[in-house]
Amino acid sequence: LQVFLILNLIPTGLFVATSIIIGKLLGGSHYAFANIAIKRLLIISLTLAAGINILVAVFAKNIASFFSPHDMLVAQQATKSIYIICVALIFNSLTLVLRGTLNAAKDTRFIAIACGTTGYFIFLPLAYFCGIKLGYGVFGGYVAFAIWFFIDCIVLTHRLFVQKIIPNSKN
């Protein structure tokens, strides 16, 4: 959890920056610039998240040993969880930029409904199934977490780019 919280600081900052930047562009009716900015913010987010999370994955054993120096079994399990967290955070970084964009476009009702629905009907049952029924414990919860971020990323991408919440130009 501590590794997740530390690694999630940059995507959270990009969420806030996206809300401000896209909100300012949409407020000025600069739709073409907003669409360009969204794509650039997604690329920046993906690049930062991939770079940082690959680095963390390379040092996952050292990080896990730092948090559990006396119990190598716990450190082994934590290492596996860190790998999953790194994958999940790549999707989360994209999801947060998409959420920031939809937030700036005043589509917060969709965010609440979509993310609440995926949380309750995908994440919770999947976490129970992977963690309890399959016996993977915390690791299974992180697998469910990664799948949840991936599905949220798909849902928000569909809303933004397929349903075209932001027009290409001023109509």
Side-chain angles (χ1 to χ4, degrees):
L1 180 62
Q2 295 303 316
V3 172
F4 169 79
L5 292 173
I6 291 167
L7 293 176
N8 201 36
L9 287 174
I10 293 173
T12 302
L14 281 168
F15 165 73
V16 173
T18 300
S19 295
I20 293 168
I21 292 167
I22 303 303
K24 190 162 184 81
L25 290 170
L26 293 177
S29 298
H30 301 292
Y31 302 121
F33 291 128
N35 283 310
I36 292 168
I38 293 164
K39 291 172 185 161
R40 287 185 180 169
L41 285 162
L42 285 167
I43 290 168
I44 290 168
S45 180
L46 182 62
T47 304
L48 284 172
I52 291 168
N53 285 298
I54 287 170
L55 186 64
V56 168
V58 167
F59 294 104
K61 290 179 185 176
N62 301 48
I63 294 168
S65 296
F66 173 77
F67 283 106
S68 181
H70 304 295
D71 192 344
M72 287 303 118
L73 183 60
V74 170
Q76 268 184 335
Q77 293 300 314
T79 300
K80 292 177 185 177
S81 294
I82 289 171
Y83 293 143
I84 295 297
I85 288 169
C86 289
V87 171
L89 282 170
I90 290 172
F91 293 117
N92 186 47
S93 70
L94 297 173
T95 299
L96 286 175
V97 169
L98 295 167
R99 286 179 75 173
T101 300
L102 292 171
N103 194 25
K106 298 181 175 145
D107 199 14
T108 54
R109 179 178 288 167
F110 178 81
I111 294 171
I113 292 169
C115 295
T117 301
T118 59
Y120 281 108
F121 295 112
I122 292 175
F123 171 66
L124 289 177
L126 197 56
Y128 174 77
F129 180 73
C130 292
I132 306 293
K133 290 295 184 183
L134 294 180
Y136 290 126
V138 173
F139 178 74
Y142 284 123
V143 169
F145 208 46
I147 293 169
W148 179 36
F149 282 150
F150 177 71
I151 290 170
D152 270 357
C153 192
I154 290 171
V155 168
L156 296 178
T157 299
H158 182 269
R159 177 70 170 181
L160 186 63
F161 293 111
V162 176
Q163 293 182 346
K164 302 248 187 224
I165 297 303
I166 299 171
N168 287 330
S169 61
K170 188 174 180 181
N171 292 334

